[in-house]
Amino acid sequence: MNFYDNRPANPNPVPDDAPVYVISAAAELSGLHPQTLRQYDRLGLVSPDRAAGRGRRYSVRDIERLREVQRLSQDEGVNLAGIKHIRGLQDEVSELRSRVAELEAALAAVAATTIPVALPAHAPQAQPQQVVPQQAHNPLLPALPAFGRSTALVVWRPQQH
């Protein structure tokens, strides 16, 4: 229940990226003229979803972007081409952050299901008068995936001839 009235709180609020506002409502919420919104759409600065009749439908996120475009243009003096470039870079950073989070999660999953193997890697034989640089990493073989909870250890001894 909401503190100020007796209505229950909305358990399913509308997501920020849900296309709900027609162009007139989006123009009013953003403080811009509808023609400005159409121009920004043509330039690719803010691209709203389209309804079945091809009418634009703006989301809360789109309206925030419209305000940001207007702020950069009016307050910062950035031209529309510069704003488009900035938006592209911001979108790319967002995508890269998402990808890094995915890779970190995958790496954590691999780390949680591996057993480190402490076997020395074979170093190449040095030629006379040739200096082999020291390896900066630990000369261990990569970790092997653990299957189940087994702690079995297998020892291999080559046959002697």
Side-chain angles (χ1 to χ4, degrees):
M1 298 288 240
N2 191 322
F3 179 77
Y4 296 105
D5 60 26
N6 293 330
R7 294 178 295 176
N10 184 358
N12 298 321
V14 176
D16 285 350
D17 57 350
V20 293
Y21 299 105
V22 295
I23 193 166
S24 59
E28 187 175 328
L29 289 169
S30 66
L32 300 171
H33 191 276
Q35 198 59 33
T36 304
L37 274 61
R38 291 183 187 97
Q39 179 69 20
Y40 288 175
D41 187 12
R42 278 192 291 275
L43 294 173
L45 295 172
V46 177
S47 299
D49 285 345
R50 298 288 181 153
R54 300 293 300 149
R56 293 172 176 87
R57 294 292 184 267
Y58 290 84
S59 67
V60 171
R61 187 172 295 145
D62 292 331
I63 292 169
E64 290 171 359
R65 287 181 178 174
L66 289 167
R67 290 176 181 158
E68 178 67 8
V69 168
Q70 187 69 6
R71 186 192 67 76
L72 287 170
S73 176
Q74 298 298 312
D75 298 345
E76 305 295 331
V78 180
N79 65 20
L80 295 180
I83 294 171
K84 185 174 182 178
H85 186 68
I86 290 168
R87 288 289 318 141
L89 292 173
Q90 289 172 333
D91 290 344
E92 186 177 349
V93 167
S94 179
E95 290 171 15
L96 290 171
R97 284 184 176 149
S98 294
R99 182 67 178 140
V100 166
E102 290 173 13
L103 292 173
E104 286 176 339
L107 183 59
V110 168
T113 60
T114 57
I115 299 172
V117 178
L119 299 175
H122 296 288
Q125 295 294 327
Q127 298 293 327
Q129 300 176 353
Q130 180 184 7
V131 177
V132 177
Q134 290 286 17
Q135 293 182 354
H137 65 282
N138 189 346
L140 298 179
L141 293 176
L144 301 175
F147 300 103
R149 296 180 176 259
S150 174
T151 58
L153 175 65
V154 178
V155 178
W156 176 77
R157 291 193 179 106
Q159 294 180 353
Q160 300 201 1
H161 297 297

